[in-house]
Amino acid sequence: MDITFEKVGYTYQKGTPFESRALYDIDLMIKEGSYTALVGHTGSGKSTLLQHLNALSKPTEGTVKIGDRVITSQTDNKNLKNIRKKVGIVFQFPEAQLFEETIARDIAFGPKNFGASEEEGKEIAKRMLPLVGLDESFMERSPFDLSGGQMRRVAIAGVLAMDPEVLVLDEPTAGLDPQGRKEMMEMFFGLHQQQNMTIVLVTHQMDDVANYADHMIILEKGTVVKQGEPREIFQDAEWLESKQLGVPAAVAFAGRLEKRLNRSFAKLPLTTAELAEQIAAWLPNLPKQTAQEKGGEDR
Ligand SMILES: Nc1ncnc2c1ncn2[C@@H]1O[C@H](COP(=O)(O)OP(=O)(O)O)[C@@H](O)[C@H]1O
Ligand SMILES: [Mg+2]
């Protein structure tokens, strides 16, 4: 299922003295099976845009197509349930929305709303826990006895329990420690690779964009100022710096090294693994890497 925006605009409290325009003139496409990173400064409209991906907000101008459903300002609010099921959104700090007495019940809340029985709900919760790195022993515990990172995992399990085709993540690693961040990013990438889940990730971490995303959309003051493949966008490090958006660590390092040595890399390295490979290619007579040394990406 693709999601397409055509000339989308959104104004909060339209038609009142308090109206304020948050999005305008947005054309974009989230392709089925892609991993899209959405970046931009605070207030640029990222969270507002996300709410259009499952018709939680309807555009005040233009059209959003979610699969074969067409959403405009005229669309009525009936029959949107199915879209909400297909496109799961993990909002910022989702742990704040936990409320059930047990973790199993919290995870099963969505499926039960869609008609799953008590037993089916339990089964689903049991299947979701390992996906988010927790085990069955958590089922009957209270979500409020967990660490912040664990609570967030439970909240994410609740979104995954709906078996979405598209998973939308609004700064999912904010406030986590480095290990927790890495585990969570790996978990999302696993879902993307193993289940071909379409991912839309809002992030300020350019290293995450370089490591995981195949498409990148940059928002500024409510509109798209650039979109494309991360590798192409990161080529123009100067433009990104001028927008105070930064570049992945490997790109910054490569740029400095190119200046210092007065030579250019054949291909822009996006990750430290690519950077190491390309520097090694400059050094003559280096013994070949063993498979073990090679490892993978920065991940
Ligand atoms: N509920 C709201 N009512 C009115 N204005 C809002 C509301 N939510 C966000 N805004 C405004 O919309 C703009 C975009 O905000 P937001 O989508 O939250 O950006 P981001 O997620 O990139 O930080 C900002 O100017 C913000 O103040
Ligand atoms: Mg936001």
Side-chain angles (χ1 to χ4, degrees):
M1 183 176 77
D2 298 336
I3 302 177
T4 313
F5 284 40
E6 283 165 17
K7 293 274 164 287
V8 167
Y10 186 77
T11 302
Y12 282 102
Q13 295 172 285
K14 195 172 166 82
T16 76
F18 307 103
E19 73 171 36
S20 78
R21 188 173 72 164
L23 299 176
Y24 67 96
D25 238 4
I26 296 191
D27 290 317
L28 61 81
M29 184 166 178
I30 308 293
K31 281 214 182 79
E32 177 170 328
S34 63
Y35 192 131
T36 299
L38 179 61
V39 308
H41 293 295
T42 302
S44 58
K46 303 181 298 295
S47 297
T48 306
L49 192 157
L50 295 190
Q51 290 171 27
H52 288 76
L53 295 173
N54 75 347
L56 207 57
S57 293
K58 291 178 292 179
T60 47
E61 296 107 43
T63 308
V64 176
K65 287 189 190 135
I66 305 168
D68 49 17
R69 279 299 299 268
V70 177
I71 312 289
T72 68
S73 60
Q74 305 302 314
T75 305
D76 77 31
N77 286 325
K78 279 184 229 151
N79 305 320
L80 295 176
K81 231 178 144 182
N82 213 26
I83 289 179
R84 308 260 160 84
K85 183 180 181 314
K86 284 186 179 163
V87 182
I89 303 191
V90 177
F91 291 103
Q92 274 171 288
F93 303 105
E95 56 274 22
Q97 285 154 32
L98 298 174
F99 69 99
E100 291 276 10
E101 275 166 39
T102 69
I103 288 167
R105 291 177 71 93
D106 223 304
I107 296 173
F109 179 78
K112 278 202 217 150
N113 243 341
F114 272 81
S117 68
E118 195 69 32
E119 268 318 295
E120 287 164 338
K122 273 217 162 110
E123 269 315 302
I124 293 171
K126 205 186 270 182
R127 273 196 290 116
M128 291 305 123
L129 282 168
L131 276 186
V132 296
L134 300 173
D135 62 46
E136 246 180 70
S137 72
F138 284 88
M139 291 279 283
E140 299 307 319
R141 288 174 61 181
S142 161
F144 303 102
D145 292 339
L146 304 179
S147 72
Q150 288 172 328
M151 282 172 81
R152 190 168 304 177
R153 285 164 189 265
V154 170
I156 292 167
V159 173
L160 293 176
M162 299 297 287
D163 194 20
E165 290 177 31
V166 182
L167 180 64
V168 179
L169 304 157
D170 198 349
E171 301 187 37
T173 61
L176 299 184
D177 60 34
Q179 182 61 24
R181 276 190 41 206
K182 185 164 182 226
E183 283 174 15
M184 199 159 280
M185 291 308 297
E186 283 298 312
M187 172 183 104
F188 299 135
F189 197 63
L191 291 167
H192 173 63
Q193 289 209 305
Q194 286 145 33
Q195 304 184 24
N196 197 33
M197 200 178 276
T198 308
I199 307 269
V200 179
L201 169 78
V202 168
T203 183
H204 292 283
Q205 310 288 332
M206 293 301 177
D207 281 306
D208 286 343
V209 180
N211 274 319
Y212 300 106
D214 48 46
H215 189 69
M216 182 176 182
I217 298 173
I218 303 176
L219 277 185
E220 185 179 61
K221 298 193 179 106
T223 202
V224 175
V225 288
K226 223 184 232 304
Q227 57 182 320
E229 267 182 55
R231 191 176 298 281
E232 267 162 37
I233 290 177
F234 289 134
Q235 289 282 356
D236 200 351
E238 261 173 41
W239 182 86
L240 285 158
E241 302 284 6
S242 77
K243 299 281 181 194
Q244 281 152 15
L245 287 168
V247 292
V251 173
F253 183 87
R256 296 197 82 147
L257 197 64
E258 282 181 330
K259 266 201 194 119
R260 178 69 182 80
L261 300 181
N262 194 26
R263 66 184 286 185
S264 303
F265 287 104
K267 180 180 137 197
L268 180 74
L270 289 194
T271 63
T272 51
E274 285 180 13
L275 178 65
E277 265 309 292
Q278 298 224 38
I279 292 174
W282 285 354
L283 305 176
N285 307 322
L286 201 69
K288 260 216 155 107
Q289 250 189 339
T290 64
Q292 196 190 6
E293 281 168 343
K294 227 170 186 163
E297 296 291 297
D298 289 6
R299 311 192 273 276

PDB file of all heavy atoms in Angstrom, residues 20 25 50 96 138 163 187 190 213 231 235 263 275 288:
ATOM      1  N   SER A  20      -3.924  28.610  12.446  1.00  0.00           N
ATOM      2  CA  SER A  20      -2.506  28.725  12.124  1.00  0.00           C
ATOM      3  C   SER A  20      -2.125  27.603  11.171  1.00  0.00           C
ATOM      4  O   SER A  20      -2.477  26.436  11.369  1.00  0.00           O
ATOM      5  CB  SER A  20      -1.651  28.694  13.397  1.00  0.00           C
ATOM      6  OG  SER A  20      -1.509  27.391  13.870  1.00  0.00           O
ATOM      7  N   ASP A  25       1.349  22.894   0.531  1.00  0.00           N
ATOM      8  CA  ASP A  25       1.955  22.503  -0.749  1.00  0.00           C
ATOM      9  C   ASP A  25       2.813  21.250  -0.691  1.00  0.00           C
ATOM     10  O   ASP A  25       3.879  21.205  -1.274  1.00  0.00           O
ATOM     11  CB  ASP A  25       2.855  23.666  -1.200  1.00  0.00           C
ATOM     12  CG  ASP A  25       2.420  24.156  -2.562  1.00  0.00           C
ATOM     13  OD1 ASP A  25       1.414  23.644  -3.059  1.00  0.00           O
ATOM     14  OD2 ASP A  25       3.106  25.038  -3.110  1.00  0.00           O
ATOM     15  N   LEU A  50       2.524  13.470  10.064  1.00  0.00           N
ATOM     16  CA  LEU A  50       2.289  12.062  10.415  1.00  0.00           C
ATOM     17  C   LEU A  50       0.814  11.770  10.644  1.00  0.00           C
ATOM     18  O   LEU A  50       0.323  10.701  10.294  1.00  0.00           O
ATOM     19  CB  LEU A  50       3.065  11.674  11.685  1.00  0.00           C
ATOM     20  CG  LEU A  50       4.585  11.683  11.624  1.00  0.00           C
ATOM     21  CD1 LEU A  50       5.160  11.034  12.884  1.00  0.00           C
ATOM     22  CD2 LEU A  50       5.100  10.960  10.392  1.00  0.00           C
ATOM     23  N   ALA A  96       3.250   7.188  27.767  1.00  0.00           N
ATOM     24  CA  ALA A  96       2.294   7.994  28.538  1.00  0.00           C
ATOM     25  C   ALA A  96       0.856   7.522  28.321  1.00  0.00           C
ATOM     26  O   ALA A  96      -0.033   7.877  29.090  1.00  0.00           O
ATOM     27  CB  ALA A  96       2.428   9.461  28.128  1.00  0.00           C
ATOM     28  N   PHE A 138       6.399 -11.056  31.333  1.00  0.00           N
ATOM     29  CA  PHE A 138       5.858  -9.704  31.509  1.00  0.00           C
ATOM     30  C   PHE A 138       4.326  -9.649  31.415  1.00  0.00           C
ATOM     31  O   PHE A 138       3.710  -8.674  31.846  1.00  0.00           O
ATOM     32  CB  PHE A 138       6.447  -8.749  30.456  1.00  0.00           C
ATOM     33  CG  PHE A 138       7.853  -8.326  30.754  1.00  0.00           C
ATOM     34  CD1 PHE A 138       8.934  -9.072  30.309  1.00  0.00           C
ATOM     35  CD2 PHE A 138       8.103  -7.178  31.496  1.00  0.00           C
ATOM     36  CE1 PHE A 138      10.238  -8.686  30.591  1.00  0.00           C
ATOM     37  CE2 PHE A 138       9.409  -6.782  31.784  1.00  0.00           C
ATOM     38  CZ  PHE A 138      10.473  -7.547  31.330  1.00  0.00           C
ATOM     39  N   ASP A 163      -1.123  -5.457  13.712  1.00  0.00           N
ATOM     40  CA  ASP A 163      -0.563  -6.002  12.481  1.00  0.00           C
ATOM     41  C   ASP A 163      -0.594  -4.977  11.336  1.00  0.00           C
ATOM     42  O   ASP A 163      -1.140  -5.242  10.258  1.00  0.00           O
ATOM     43  CB  ASP A 163      -1.357  -7.269  12.091  1.00  0.00           C
ATOM     44  CG  ASP A 163      -0.621  -8.072  11.033  1.00  0.00           C
ATOM     45  OD1 ASP A 163       0.603  -7.880  10.897  1.00  0.00           O
ATOM     46  OD2 ASP A 163      -1.277  -8.859  10.334  1.00  0.00           O
ATOM     47  N   MET A 187      15.325  -3.209  16.133  1.00  0.00           N
ATOM     48  CA  MET A 187      14.027  -3.885  16.146  1.00  0.00           C
ATOM     49  C   MET A 187      13.168  -3.405  14.961  1.00  0.00           C
ATOM     50  O   MET A 187      12.580  -4.202  14.242  1.00  0.00           O
ATOM     51  CB  MET A 187      13.344  -3.575  17.470  1.00  0.00           C
ATOM     52  CG  MET A 187      11.932  -4.024  17.577  1.00  0.00           C
ATOM     53  SD  MET A 187      11.344  -3.458  19.163  1.00  0.00           S
ATOM     54  CE  MET A 187      10.342  -2.096  18.664  1.00  0.00           C
ATOM     55  N   GLY A 190      14.505  -4.771  11.763  1.00  0.00           N
ATOM     56  CA  GLY A 190      14.155  -6.189  11.631  1.00  0.00           C
ATOM     57  C   GLY A 190      12.746  -6.349  11.069  1.00  0.00           C
ATOM     58  O   GLY A 190      12.512  -7.165  10.174  1.00  0.00           O
ATOM     59  N   ALA A 213      17.524   4.277   6.406  1.00  0.00           N
ATOM     60  CA  ALA A 213      16.487   4.759   5.488  1.00  0.00           C
ATOM     61  C   ALA A 213      16.899   4.635   4.020  1.00  0.00           C
ATOM     62  O   ALA A 213      18.083   4.741   3.692  1.00  0.00           O
ATOM     63  CB  ALA A 213      16.142   6.209   5.806  1.00  0.00           C
ATOM     64  N   ARG A 231      21.742   9.053   0.237  1.00  0.00           N
ATOM     65  CA  ARG A 231      23.111   9.189  -0.289  1.00  0.00           C
ATOM     66  C   ARG A 231      23.236  10.440  -1.149  1.00  0.00           C
ATOM     67  O   ARG A 231      24.253  11.135  -1.108  1.00  0.00           O
ATOM     68  CB  ARG A 231      23.501   7.944  -1.086  1.00  0.00           C
ATOM     69  CG  ARG A 231      24.979   7.888  -1.436  1.00  0.00           C
ATOM     70  CD  ARG A 231      25.341   6.607  -2.145  1.00  0.00           C
ATOM     71  NE  ARG A 231      25.117   5.428  -1.332  1.00  0.00           N
ATOM     72  CZ  ARG A 231      25.945   5.020  -0.371  1.00  0.00           C
ATOM     73  NH1 ARG A 231      27.046   5.689  -0.100  1.00  0.00           N
ATOM     74  NH2 ARG A 231      25.675   3.944   0.331  1.00  0.00           N
ATOM     75  N   GLN A 235      25.270  14.160  -0.103  1.00  0.00           N
ATOM     76  CA  GLN A 235      26.345  14.693  -0.959  1.00  0.00           C
ATOM     77  C   GLN A 235      26.503  16.191  -0.740  1.00  0.00           C
ATOM     78  O   GLN A 235      27.606  16.721  -0.790  1.00  0.00           O
ATOM     79  CB  GLN A 235      25.992  14.502  -2.455  1.00  0.00           C
ATOM     80  CG  GLN A 235      26.047  13.091  -2.966  1.00  0.00           C
ATOM     81  CD  GLN A 235      27.465  12.616  -3.242  1.00  0.00           C
ATOM     82  OE1 GLN A 235      28.417  13.375  -3.126  1.00  0.00           O
ATOM     83  NE2 GLN A 235      27.592  11.343  -3.571  1.00  0.00           N
ATOM     84  N   ARG A 263      42.224  15.009  -1.657  1.00  0.00           N
ATOM     85  CA  ARG A 263      41.757  14.015  -2.631  1.00  0.00           C
ATOM     86  C   ARG A 263      40.328  13.617  -2.289  1.00  0.00           C
ATOM     87  O   ARG A 263      39.873  13.875  -1.171  1.00  0.00           O
ATOM     88  CB  ARG A 263      42.693  12.806  -2.696  1.00  0.00           C
ATOM     89  CG  ARG A 263      42.746  11.971  -1.438  1.00  0.00           C
ATOM     90  CD  ARG A 263      43.759  10.849  -1.541  1.00  0.00           C
ATOM     91  NE  ARG A 263      43.282   9.763  -2.413  1.00  0.00           N
ATOM     92  CZ  ARG A 263      43.960   8.629  -2.583  1.00  0.00           C
ATOM     93  NH1 ARG A 263      45.141   8.458  -1.993  1.00  0.00           N
ATOM     94  NH2 ARG A 263      43.493   7.677  -3.342  1.00  0.00           N
ATOM     95  N   LEU A 275      33.166   4.086   5.435  1.00  0.00           N
ATOM     96  CA  LEU A 275      34.315   4.988   5.530  1.00  0.00           C
ATOM     97  C   LEU A 275      35.608   4.188   5.698  1.00  0.00           C
ATOM     98  O   LEU A 275      36.603   4.427   5.003  1.00  0.00           O
ATOM     99  CB  LEU A 275      34.106   5.933   6.723  1.00  0.00           C
ATOM    100  CG  LEU A 275      35.220   6.927   7.012  1.00  0.00           C
ATOM    101  CD1 LEU A 275      35.380   7.931   5.879  1.00  0.00           C
ATOM    102  CD2 LEU A 275      34.933   7.674   8.321  1.00  0.00           C
ATOM    103  N   LYS A 288      43.924  -8.530   3.032  1.00  0.00           N
ATOM    104  CA  LYS A 288      42.461  -8.598   2.856  1.00  0.00           C
ATOM    105  C   LYS A 288      41.769  -8.792   4.189  1.00  0.00           C
ATOM    106  O   LYS A 288      42.268  -9.479   5.064  1.00  0.00           O
ATOM    107  CB  LYS A 288      42.119  -9.776   1.930  1.00  0.00           C
ATOM    108  CG  LYS A 288      41.851  -9.369   0.493  1.00  0.00           C
ATOM    109  CD  LYS A 288      40.757 -10.250  -0.087  1.00  0.00           C
ATOM    110  CE  LYS A 288      40.048  -9.549  -1.215  1.00  0.00           C
ATOM    111  NZ  LYS A 288      40.349 -10.053  -2.507  1.00  0.00           N
TER     112      LYS A 288
END
